[in-house]
Amino acid sequence: MNTQETKPTSAEDATERTIKRRTFLSFTVFTLASAGGVGLWSWFRDLPKTAARRDALTRGVLEFNEKVNNVFFSDAHLAKTFPVERAAAKPRVNGGLGVDKNYDFGSWQLNVEQPGGTSQTLQVGDLQPLPRTELVYDFKCIEGWDQIVHYGGVRFSDFVRHFNLGTRSGQPITEENPDDWYRYVGLETPDNEYYVGIDMQSMLHPQTILCFELNGKELPPDHGAPLRLIIPTKYGIKSLKRIGRLFFADERPRDYWYERGYDYDSAL
Ligand SMILES: Nc1nc2c(c(=O)[nH]1)N[C@H]1C(S)=C(S)[C@@H](COP(=O)(O)O)O[C@H]1N2
Ligand SMILES: [Mo]
């Protein structure tokens, strides 16, 4: 299958490129599927009506399906995961901005804001109806250390779909309507001391989670209780602990470490 593409010349916007590549891939597969369908059909029609004809058809279809599956169900973009036994028993704590030990947890709520002023407040219990997910992966800090950690929570992609967030039209977010997505998600601690901005494409990655568990237990305060982000496609600086505010935007949200000279995307 010829899915050659030209290398992007500008490093300006990775999201745009990923979306374009996806659209291009879907289009290519669709075109090949249609063309392949027509080609296969005339070839099949011209075959003598025998068992060979049936077998050839089945074989052709199977081979074709295999190729399509390779494009859509490839897990090459997923972060490597590990057996739970490999996870650190006492994960290291790093970065205490906005995660004061004396925080009044009773006052916590998640403020979710969409442009245009619509907002809602949520509690961790509101995430209960969503499918729980676990992730054991190698967490990487930009300072040069890493460790395998076992997190639990809900997928951000399930979260936006459940609460119908993230699109300009108010329609549910899907892979088919990327032009309708807000381009960024901003996250901030309750005291606004630490804050990050992340492109929507990365937020919708199947391993990006709103996390409330560590090693199968309630997330401890210094790891960001009651709710933190875990985003394995980025360095640890983006995995904001203790989310107080979550908002959608088309402009890049402010980002604590970007303001101090780090790369905005901090992609791995
Ligand atoms: N609120 C908040 N979140 C934060 C930070 C921080 O200083 N404040 N530091 C980040 C950095 S640099 C890292 S490496 C991870 C560390 O997460 P951990 O303490 O759970 O291991 O949290 C990230 N999230
Ligand atoms: Mo870090």
Side-chain angles (χ1 to χ4, degrees):
M1 194 179 297
N2 180 13
T3 51
Q4 243 185 343
E5 25 175 340
T6 45
K7 278 264 174 325
T9 47
S10 138
E12 186 241 326
D13 197 328
T15 312
E16 199 92 317
R17 284 203 310 269
T18 318
I19 293 171
K20 280 202 182 116
R21 196 187 63 226
R22 277 215 182 171
T23 314
F24 176 72
L25 266 181
S26 321
F27 178 73
T28 309
V29 170
F30 179 75
T31 310
L32 287 179
S34 322
V38 173
L40 255 181
W41 169 243
S42 37
W43 162 78
F44 174 68
R45 188 192 50 209
D46 297 333
L47 272 180
K49 279 199 179 69
T50 59
R53 165 169 157 171
R54 252 191 343 262
D55 291 348
L57 177 68
T58 320
R59 204 169 50 241
V61 168
L62 286 179
E63 275 165 20
F64 182 69
N65 283 345
E66 224 163 71
K67 281 179 195 143
V68 173
N69 285 346
N70 285 346
V71 175
F72 283 103
F73 301 106
S74 158
D75 57 4
H77 64 304
L78 292 181
K80 181 174 161 60
T81 57
F82 296 84
V84 74
E85 309 81 63
R86 295 277 308 274
K90 247 192 137 326
R92 173 173 178 163
V93 173
N94 197 55
L97 294 160
V99 279
D100 184 2
K101 282 230 190 302
N102 303 316
Y103 180 66
D104 169 22
F105 288 96
S107 71
W108 184 86
Q109 57 180 28
L110 178 64
N111 295 307
V112 182
E113 294 156 32
Q114 299 243 94
T118 46
S119 71
Q120 50 187 312
T121 58
L122 298 172
Q123 291 293 325
V124 177
D126 294 325
L127 306 179
Q128 217 62 63
L130 280 74
R132 231 183 106 263
T133 185
E134 291 183 33
L135 184 66
V136 183
Y137 84 105
D138 194 12
F139 182 102
K140 294 186 177 70
C141 173
I142 218 152
E143 292 161 8
W145 56 269
D146 66 286
Q147 74 183 162
I148 298 172
V149 190
H150 174 197
Y151 298 103
V154 299
R155 285 187 191 85
F156 186 79
S157 60
D158 288 335
F159 170 80
V160 286
R161 277 194 280 259
H162 182 80
F163 294 102
N164 199 17
L165 299 162
T167 59
R168 278 177 272 270
S169 69
Q171 292 300 306
I173 208 163
T174 74
E175 298 219 357
E176 276 71 49
N177 63 356
D179 293 337
D180 197 17
W181 304 351
Y182 289 115
R183 298 186 60 204
Y184 295 97
V185 175
L187 301 124
E188 306 198 349
T189 54
D191 59 7
N192 310 115
E193 239 191 86
Y194 194 66
Y195 39 89
V196 300
I198 297 171
D199 61 278
M200 182 70 98
Q201 182 85 19
S202 301
M203 288 301 288
L204 295 177
H205 185 279
Q207 291 171 313
T208 299
I209 64 180
L210 295 176
C211 162
F212 45 77
E213 284 173 7
L214 182 69
N215 284 335
K217 300 197 187 76
E218 194 175 297
L219 187 68
D222 45 6
H223 288 290
L227 191 69
R228 76 174 298 177
L229 183 71
I230 287 297
I231 181 157
T233 55
K234 311 248 181 215
Y235 278 105
I237 47 174
K238 293 288 190 180
S239 286
L240 181 132
K241 299 190 277 192
R242 193 166 299 155
I243 311 168
R245 174 174 180 237
L246 190 160
F247 62 96
F248 298 87
D250 279 321
E251 302 295 316
R252 268 184 177 182
R254 64 183 187 146
D255 186 278
Y256 185 91
W257 285 112
Y258 177 68
E259 288 171 0
R260 285 152 186 83
Y262 285 81
D263 175 51
Y264 192 90
D265 285 326
S266 292
L268 280 164

